[in-house]
């Protein structure tokens, strides 16, 4: 499913609960239910431009998309792909709401926390402009690379495989996600 998060980022009210974008996204998710919710889909992947979380700076996050990420949690989205920040970062399966956590070099903060019922967020804005620093990783950040590269995602009936390659075709991060929730 593709979400126009630029609509949210530049005018946050466009993605507030009850907005047209929120209602559209909620309707799409409701009409594409997973098997675990009585639907016919094994898994759900959402692709968008703006990330919800990033380790680019202390407190790095885009609260403008929070209503959309909360819907992703409610409808059991498995994988959330974003590309705004110019680096690669993979988070654990994330909770619906941010909570008390830590961020390297920044101390205690409110930020992303792990929850096996939530989607995995992967930020992969690794082409084009200059790379963004990721010196302040959140505790929920599983892998970060500040290099150009490409993410390969292979979808299966009830799982997905991913591999992040640098421009020399070296795999820097890889794994499997299971569509279980």
């Amino acid at each position: 499913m593709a979400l126009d998060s630029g609509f949210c980022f530049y005018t946050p009210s466009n993605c507030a609960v009850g907005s047209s974008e929120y209602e559209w996204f909620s309707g799409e998710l409701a009409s594409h239910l997973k098997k675990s919710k009585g639907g016919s889909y094994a898994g759900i992947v959402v692709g968008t431009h703006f990330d919800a979380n990033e380790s680019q700076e202390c407190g790095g996050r885009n609260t403008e998309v929070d209503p959309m990420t909360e819907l992703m949690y409610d409808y059991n989205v498995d994988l959330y792909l974003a590309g705004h920040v110019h680096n690669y970062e993979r988070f654990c399966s994330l909770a619906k709401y941010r909570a008390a956590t830590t961020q390297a070099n920044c101390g205690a903060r409110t930020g992303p926390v792990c929850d096996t019922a939530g989607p995995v967020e992967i930020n992969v804005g690794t082409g084009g402009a200059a790379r963004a620093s990721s010196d302040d990783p959140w505790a929920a950040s599983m892998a970060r690379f500040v290099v150009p590269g490409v993410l390969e995602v292979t979808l299966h009936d009830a799982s997905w495989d991913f591999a992040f390659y640098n421009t020399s075709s070296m795999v820097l991060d890889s794994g499997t996600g299971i569509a279980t929730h």
Side-chain angles (χ1 to χ4, degrees):
M1 209 172 285
L3 174 65
D4 180 5
S5 60
F7 195 62
C8 309
F9 188 79
Y10 296 109
T11 308
S13 62
N14 286 340
C15 291
V17 174
S19 68
S20 60
E21 189 76 356
Y22 181 92
E23 294 302 321
W24 171 83
F25 191 45
S26 178
E28 286 298 303
L29 289 169
S31 66
H32 295 89
L33 292 176
K34 291 175 67 171
K35 290 177 182 177
S36 63
K37 296 271 191 181
S40 59
Y41 293 89
I44 301 173
V45 177
V46 172
T48 188
H49 179 80
F50 287 102
D51 56 90
N53 303 289
E54 59 194 51
S55 294
Q56 183 177 352
E57 59 190 30
C58 291
R61 62 185 178 264
N62 289 314
T63 58
E64 298 87 348
V65 297
D66 282 356
M68 302 308 182
T69 58
E70 291 164 13
L71 280 173
M72 289 184 220
Y73 184 93
D74 290 343
Y75 283 97
N76 304 116
V77 167
D78 299 290
L79 180 59
Y80 167 35
L81 300 171
H84 179 68
V85 174
H86 292 254
N87 61 20
Y88 172 88
E89 184 168 23
R90 177 177 50 85
F91 289 89
C92 59
S93 296
L94 294 172
K96 183 173 183 176
Y97 303 109
R98 292 178 184 90
T101 187
T102 58
Q103 189 177 12
N105 304 313
C106 304
R109 300 234 180 248
T110 298
V113 293
C114 300
D115 178 343
T116 58
V120 170
E121 178 180 350
I122 300 179
N123 300 330
V124 61
T126 55
R131 308 299 156 247
S133 167
S134 62
D135 294 336
D136 303 307
W138 288 107
S141 179
M142 303 287 97
R144 293 165 316 289
F145 297 98
V146 184
V147 298
V150 63
L151 177 67
E152 176 183 44
V153 177
T154 304
L155 304 176
H156 306 287
D157 286 339
S159 66
W160 45 276
D161 300 320
F162 68 94
F164 176 66
Y165 297 86
N166 67 11
T167 54
S168 299
S169 299
M170 178 187 294
V171 175
L172 301 179
D173 188 33
S174 63
T176 298
I178 307 293
T180 57
H181 50 275

